[in-house]
């Protein structure tokens, strides 16, 4: 018997509570236009703003956006610098809109390894939006699901070896609570843009029963209508959670 209570099976007409998006295809969007990759990333930030607004209007409680993976450090230093610059600008200039619109900002991933000024900006933005009613926009920054899972295992092992935790009590519920993102509800709908069909180390635990939707649109072309269409596709899915 699973320790985690799963929802009853059935049609998903209620709409997804937690939507997670792998925002892929910025580079290809730029390449098609003979533009530098940064132009695609810049346009990608515009899409983030549109989609965050639409998520609120569509009644989504949690929107998690994969912005920078722990593997993206493998990109050329110039591109990493450009991405960090865009993030800095996004936090500086768009947080006021988040505050105005009642959006709560949260982060998953090891963002504390980023530049100190960026860390301070992010902490400030999270504090200033903490009391907002929501929705919660979660940005995955320097995020890798395998590292997140290994961290939780290490923390539990430390408690067990210190004698403060009985290993026999470790089950899915405790493990999930120990994950850095443990407060997030399970992912109901996981969308990846750009036609790629892989998870790229994103929310592996949380997406255990997510409905997966792979769309061909490149991320800079994704917008509120595309999100609404994704919710339409989700509504057609029959979720079973192992039952009938
Ligand atoms: C997604 O677009 C943005 C990040 C990974 C930061 P890409 O930069 O991966 O775009 P493609 O896949 O090269 O087209
Ligand atoms: C996944 O996209 C990470 C983000 C969207 C931030 P990538 O473009 O890095 O994924 P791979 O390398 O094609 O799997
Ligand atoms: Mg990509």
């Amino acid at each position: 018997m699973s320790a985690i209570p799963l929802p009853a099976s059935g049609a998903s007409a209620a709409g997804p509570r937690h939507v997670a998006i792998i925002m892929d295809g910025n580079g290809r969007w730029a390449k098609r236009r003979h533009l530098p990759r940064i132009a695609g990333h810049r346009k990608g930030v515009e899409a983030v703003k549109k989609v965050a607004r639409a998520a609120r209007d569509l009644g989504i409680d949690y929107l998690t956006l994969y912005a920078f993976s722990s593997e993206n450090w493998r990109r050329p230093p110039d591109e990493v610098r450009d991405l960090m610059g865009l993030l800095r600008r996004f936090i500086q200039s768009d947080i006021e809109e988040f505050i105005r619109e009642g959006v709560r900002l949260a982060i998953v991933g090891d963002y504390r390894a980023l530049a100190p000024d960026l860390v301070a900006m992010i902490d400030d933005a999270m504090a200033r939006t903490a009391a907002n009613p929501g929705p919660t926009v979660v940005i995955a920054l320097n995020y890798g699901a395998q590292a997140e899972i290994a961290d939780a295992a290490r923390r539990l092992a430390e408690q067990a070896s210190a004698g403060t935790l009985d290993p026999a009590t470790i089950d899915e519920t405790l493990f999930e609570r120990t994950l850095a993102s443990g407060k997030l509800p399970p992912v109901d709908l996981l969308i990846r843009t750009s036609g790629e069909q892989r998870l790229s180390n994103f929310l592996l635990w949380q997406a255990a029963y997510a409905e997966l939707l792979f769309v061909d649109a490149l991320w800079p072309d994704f917008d509120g209508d595309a999100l609404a269409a994704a919710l339409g596709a989700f509504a057609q899915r029959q979720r079973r959670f192992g039952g009938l």
Side-chain angles (χ1 to χ4, degrees), residues 51-60 97 100-103 134-135 227:
V51 169
R53 248 176 256 134
R56 187 206 47 205
D57 297 342
L58 292 165
I60 294 165
E97 183 176 340
R100 251 195 334 271
E101 302 202 351
V103 171
L227 183 64

Side-chain angles (χ1 to χ4, degrees), residues 2-18:
S2 166
I4 299 178
L6 289 167
S9 56
S12 347
R17 181 167 182 229
H18 185 179

Side-chain angles (χ1 to χ4, degrees), residues 23-28 37 72 75 192 194 196 198:
M23 310 185 288
D24 200 11
N26 293 351
R28 277 162 283 171
R37 291 178 59 85
N72 285 147
R75 295 190 178 199
R192 183 171 189 144
S194 88
E196 307 291 351
R198 55 178 171 269

